[in-house]
Amino acid sequence: GRALLVLLLSGTVSLLGGLIFGYELGIISGALLQLQADFQLSCFKQEVLVSAVLIGALLASLAGGILIDRHGRRRAILVSNLLLLLGSLILTLARSLTVLVIGRMTVGFAISLSSMACCIYVSEMVAAHRRGLLVSLYEAGITVGILLSYALNYVFADVDEGWRYMFGLAIAPTAMQFLSILFLPVNPVKLGSWDSDCQKGLIPLQDTEDRAAAKRESYQEKHYSFLDLFRTRDNMRRRTLVGLGLVLFQQFTGQPNVLGYASKIFHSVGFQSNSSAILASVGLGAIKVVATLVAMALADKAGRRVLLMAGCVVMAISVTTIGLSSRVAPLAVARDCRAANASLSLSQHPLTPVLPQAAVSPVPPASGAAKSQAGPGFAATGSLTEVFASAQSKVVPNPSLTQQRDLAGQSRKGALESTGPPLSAAPWAQHTVLNWITLLSMMAFVSAFSIGFGPMTWLVLSEIYPAGIRGRAFAFCNSFNWAANLLISLSFLDLIDAIGFSWMFLLYGLMGVMAVIFIYLFVPETKGQSLEEIDQQFSRKR
């Protein structure tokens, strides 16, 4: 009974953590136009507001690891919940841009800290044969959170100061997670009473000699300094190589930018009316949810390596196809206020954490802002905001609000038209088959990321480091994830100017091939093994 309770509560904590992460990153896109009107925000001020979450998340990546290792995973989650409650209250009651920025930075710090602590805590809490499922639940939560933020953007689009409700509603899941974690044990690493189940279903280690050695050695938790991450002690340098390689390839395969052009692809294949465009974008969100559920089901059966490599192969093929087809049927690329804002927004993937690029936002038109991945899995999820945004680009709420917002920025229709030539004049309008191939490639990319890099990167990171330095190691890799995400997003339009759209996507395809080779050579299979066995295996192998 106790084991089942721990399992259910661990799953709840993981799911709610992801849901809060996805919601906070998705909700800004809907709130931004109302904020733009209420506070007369210039493009620069919008960029500052959108990027405030990223700054907070980077700070958490730098400082959060020490908190997680020294004061425990459970306490770190509780602290992140309190910070999130504080940030949500600040945002709900804000009367100036400065207060809004402080609130968003607080929220960014909280969700980044929570993303790291949740994945580590749950991975240590549950038996080996359920670890993949429950840690991947975080990524599923991110997807649900972003879809929930779309729905609430729509609900509050025509409400005066609706952004206060959008920010304030994050308090509910935060309070639920806070209460759930109170019933879970403090030191999961030390609690072995229900962990004995994992011994029954362990797959063999690499060879019988390793297995025998693992059984002979009594596991002793060691103490590490941060610099040990770069030393040969217990093979820590190779573990750091694996972690950094995964988070950097997660970004350099194009995740933050590929879906930035989803709106143009949808229009090019004929999704122009409100209903059909909304249906298409929600369909893309549904594909992501289904793919994440598939990853959850397969993580403990097929294994991490298989899903990572399969996902990378499909992603490489998808972006290469988009690159080749865009040489024949080029997409218009806009460089405007929205594109600039989007480049600063957080893409996701927890682990995703994770930044929308050139796109119009959900119902209240605004710059895209969502991420999946800076935190675990965060990278893929954010870009869906742009899709949903463009889908609803012509939905106009009540007239008075519309007039008010037109004064602060362009009307939705104008904003859309400014991003490129009208459909009939667009060079890609005559290439129906290629356009559909591009759309299908984008759907395949979403699915592949949600099965591979999205959840698996953060799952592997929560497994390969020793308990004594797991928090700091995870945070170190996570900071590179956020930094790479920002770099990719900020340089995207400049790179397109320099080498062209199609070559950019072909370059992403090449990075995908390199990622497959990296995973094959360096990333170990960890399914079905206890964290102690994984650690002992790494410590012995050179």
Side-chain angles (χ1 to χ4, degrees), residues 17-95:
L19 187 144
I20 295 164
F21 193 106
Y23 180 83
E24 289 290 0
L25 291 166
I27 202 67
I28 185 66
S29 57
L32 198 56
L33 183 76
Q34 294 189 14
L35 292 168
Q36 178 187 339
D38 292 349
F39 293 93
Q40 286 78 49
L41 300 181
S42 64
C43 274
F44 174 73
K45 289 178 178 177
Q46 290 178 58
E47 290 171 2
V48 169
L49 181 58
V50 169
S51 59
V53 169
L54 178 59
I55 296 167
L58 273 171
L59 290 174
S61 295
L62 298 174
I66 298 172
L67 173 63
I68 292 169
D69 278 342
R70 289 192 181 169
H71 300 285
R73 291 74 160 118
R74 181 175 178 270
R75 193 170 294 172
I77 297 173
L78 291 172
V79 168
S80 75
N81 288 152
L82 293 175
L83 285 173
L84 199 54
L85 290 171
L86 175 65
S88 298
L89 284 173
I90 291 173
L91 288 167
T92 304
L93 303 173
R95 295 286 174 189

Side-chain angles (χ1 to χ4, degrees), residues 9 39 125 214 300 309 328 412 459 472:
L9 287 174
F39 293 93
M125 179 62 63
D300 291 316
M309 286 195 288
V328 180
R412 263 198 113 104
L459 174 56
R472 283 165 290 169

Side-chain angles (χ1 to χ4, degrees), residues 174-239:
T174 305
M176 289 171 63
Q177 189 187 38
F178 185 88
L179 293 174
S180 299
I181 198 82
L182 289 177
F183 293 97
L184 281 169
V186 179
N187 295 314
V189 177
K190 310 275 194 295
L191 297 170
S193 54
W194 50 77
D195 250 357
S196 57
D197 290 344
C198 73
Q199 303 300 330
K200 301 171 188 172
L202 288 180
I203 63 163
L205 300 186
Q206 258 59 358
D207 53 51
T208 52
E209 183 183 333
D210 281 346
R211 191 174 181 80
K215 286 180 185 281
R216 283 196 305 272
E217 297 173 19
S218 61
Y219 182 73
Q220 298 292 327
E221 186 175 324
K222 302 173 186 175
H223 297 284
Y224 297 88
S225 70
F226 178 74
L227 292 178
D228 283 331
L229 285 174
F230 312 101
R231 294 175 179 148
T232 55
R233 177 191 175 190
D234 291 337
N235 224 2
M236 291 298 293
R237 192 182 294 164
R238 185 190 166 206
R239 303 187 206 212

Side-chain angles (χ1 to χ4, degrees), residues 23 61 176 179 209 243 245 255 274-275 340-341 352 371 384 393 432 481 525:
Y23 180 83
S61 295
M176 289 171 63
L179 293 174
E209 183 183 333
Q255 144 53 33
N274 289 340
S275 57
N341 288 343
T352 59
K371 164 231 155 176
L384 290 176
S393 53
T432 308
N481 181 67
E525 182 54 75

